[in-house]
Amino acid sequence: MDPMERLLAERACERLVIDFVHRLDLGEPSSVAELFTEDGVWQWPEDGRLVKGRDALRAYFGSRPADRLFHRADGTWLLASRTLHLPFGGATPRTNSPLP
């Protein structure tokens, strides 16, 4: 992957996270399901709880109260870190120095 392709891929991932949070907290929570594939999965690592499939995801996210802001409290974002598991992508390379 050349540097421009990498930059574009990273930006697409950033936009996806922003779109997710915006839909969940400020938009229509059930529309979060549209960001998943038809067979998408939302899983909790602690206990293995699982929501599978776009229809189930729509029901799960849509059941949130409209006034409940999951990721913010007093203007501070509580979403500081997420691990994204891409079974086809492998580990994300990390460097000790900033990108050129």
Side-chain angles (χ1 to χ4, degrees):
M1 180 181 295
D2 71 44
M4 182 56 76
E5 289 172 325
R6 180 181 173 145
L7 180 65
L8 291 172
E10 289 173 351
R11 181 66 177 137
C13 291
E14 290 172 3
R15 290 298 316 154
L16 182 61
V17 171
I18 290 167
D19 194 10
F20 175 90
V21 171
H22 178 75
R23 288 175 185 230
L24 190 61
D25 285 350
L26 305 174
E28 180 61 38
S30 63
S31 73
V32 167
E34 302 308 316
L35 301 173
F36 288 80
T37 59
E38 282 293 331
D39 60 349
V41 173
W42 184 260
Q43 184 174 11
W44 287 257
E46 298 83 25
D47 62 9
R49 234 177 346 149
L50 183 78
V51 179
K52 186 173 183 178
R54 193 177 285 156
D55 291 336
L57 290 161
R58 186 176 294 109
Y60 169 72
F61 288 114
S63 68
R64 295 171 46 83
D67 62 345
R68 181 173 165 205
L69 296 180
F70 184 120
H71 296 104
R72 294 190 302 154
D74 301 326
T76 302
W77 288 101
L78 299 177
L79 179 65
S81 175
R82 283 279 183 208
T83 302
L84 182 61
H85 299 279
L86 301 173
F88 57 85
T92 302
R94 299 193 184 271
T95 63
N96 293 331
S97 60
L99 291 173

